[in-house]
Amino acid sequence: MGQVVLGTRLQIAYFDQHRRLLDPEKSVRDNLSEGGNYVNVRGRPRHVIGYLRDFLFPPERIDSPVKALSGGERNRLLLARLFTQPANMMVLDEPTNDLDVDTLELLEELLTEYEGTLLLVSHDRAFLDNVVTSTLVFEGDGRVGEYVGGYEDWLRQRASRAVTQKREPATAKPTDAARPESSAGGRRKLSYKEQRELELLPVQIQALEAEQAALNARVSDSGFYQQDKTAITETLTRLEELRIALVTAYARWEELEGAG
């Protein structure tokens, strides 16, 4: 089993997608500032009304009970509360659920400016690409790989690694009987079928990426997780199929380009 060692000065702020940190019987103001008129944000005081306006709450909504808020409003309140906490590490669990475009852009801006450590889990791949600088991937057998950049960066790195691993067994010197015919430059000449495949791969990859981008936009929509579970599952399954298809296509492209 692994072991986690926490720093002695670690201050963690946690965003819970189930909103258990909010008291539904209390007002927006009470959940944020315990009834006070000011909150401390990045070391300076902000009036509750002005601060909540940044999170798209009109003044007349501030004294409404949390139980009367929509899912999106509750998430905005959680985010507003999160950034008033004196933390040097933030842990965010699906922070983009139910967020409209304006709030999502605000969240991305706030997280980009955040100076502490950020650890987040999200199905929103575009959001990950816009915010994170490192991606942790569970790779099976208890292994976790770390890759520079966001989701798309991980796809490219994984494809490159797959090509390298695929070529490694071929580095052994073949026997005379098994050695293929080589061109004058020492590189194997592609067959007509392989050459045609190489010419078509960029078009196929472009089509796969276009479908992937369209589905990612659908997943990023604030109402995506409010629809029928079957539709959600089908979309996420197709995204995984596209991811695998792209990894395979990029690997094959590099293999053929290296051989031709």
Side-chain angles (χ1 to χ4, degrees):
M1 294 180 64
Q3 185 178 19
V4 177
V5 179
L6 300 180
T8 56
R9 298 184 180 180
L10 192 62
Q11 294 177 295
I12 300 176
Y14 175 59
F15 179 92
D16 173 20
Q17 66 167 312
H18 300 294
R19 313 181 189 108
R20 286 183 289 251
L21 298 177
L22 297 178
D23 186 336
E25 300 301 325
K26 291 185 177 180
S27 68
V28 172
R29 183 199 302 266
D30 288 340
N31 270 276
L32 179 67
S33 64
E34 297 183 354
N37 290 323
Y38 289 88
V39 290
N40 193 291
V41 183
R42 295 179 184 174
R44 64 188 183 93
R46 290 283 309 275
H47 196 280
V48 171
I49 292 178
Y51 179 62
L52 284 173
R53 188 180 286 116
D54 292 345
F55 291 85
L56 308 181
F57 282 97
E60 61 271 16
R61 199 69 165 151
I62 290 175
D63 290 315
S64 299
V66 166
K67 63 183 179 183
L69 301 182
S70 67
E73 287 175 322
R74 294 187 190 196
N75 269 5
R76 294 206 304 268
L77 177 57
L78 267 177
L79 291 173
R81 174 171 165 162
L82 184 74
F83 284 95
T84 64
Q85 299 180 34
N88 52 23
M89 180 177 183
M90 284 191 182
V91 180
L92 309 184
D93 180 15
E94 296 288 357
T96 63
N97 284 0
D98 299 324
L99 294 187
D100 53 59
V101 174
D102 290 337
T103 310
L104 181 57
E105 290 178 351
L106 172 63
L107 175 60
E108 290 183 357
E109 180 181 345
L110 291 170
L111 294 178
T112 300
E113 295 174 354
Y114 181 62
E115 297 179 352
T117 299
L118 173 66
L119 181 63
L120 67 88
V121 178
S122 177
H123 284 93
D124 189 336
R125 291 155 185 180
F127 173 70
L128 293 175
D129 287 335
N130 292 338
V131 173
V132 305
T133 57
S134 177
T135 301
L136 299 175
V137 180
F138 292 94
E139 299 181 324
D141 298 323
R143 293 179 294 107
V144 178
E146 183 174 1
Y147 299 81
V148 175
Y151 181 80
E152 292 297 327
D153 296 307
W154 167 66
L155 282 182
R156 286 189 287 270
Q157 293 173 74
R158 184 179 183 186
S160 177
R161 188 177 67 172
V163 171
T164 301
Q165 292 175 341
K166 191 170 184 179
R167 288 177 179 171
E168 283 176 354
T171 57
K173 185 177 179 180
T175 63
D176 289 339
R179 185 179 292 114
E181 295 183 5
S182 301
S183 63
R187 300 172 69 185
R188 179 176 66 83
K189 184 178 180 181
L190 295 178
S191 67
Y192 172 80
K193 183 177 179 181
E194 289 174 326
Q195 185 62 43
R196 183 59 177 161
E197 182 184 2
L198 179 60
E199 292 172 357
L200 292 177
L201 271 170
V203 178
Q204 295 171 358
I205 289 173
Q206 186 176 16
L208 290 170
E209 289 181 335
E211 184 181 356
Q212 184 186 59
L215 290 181
N216 278 329
R218 188 185 303 173
V219 171
S220 301
D221 186 86
S222 59
F224 176 76
Y225 288 98
Q226 306 302 316
Q227 61 181 328
D228 182 74
K229 289 185 178 180
T230 301
I232 295 173
T233 301
E234 288 177 352
T235 301
L236 295 180
T237 299
R238 180 55 183 161
L239 272 173
E240 180 62 15
E241 293 172 350
L242 289 169
R243 181 189 67 77
I244 295 172
L246 278 168
V247 169
T248 303
Y250 272 116
R252 181 60 173 162
W253 190 10
E254 291 192 28
E255 180 186 9
L256 291 175
E257 280 195 326

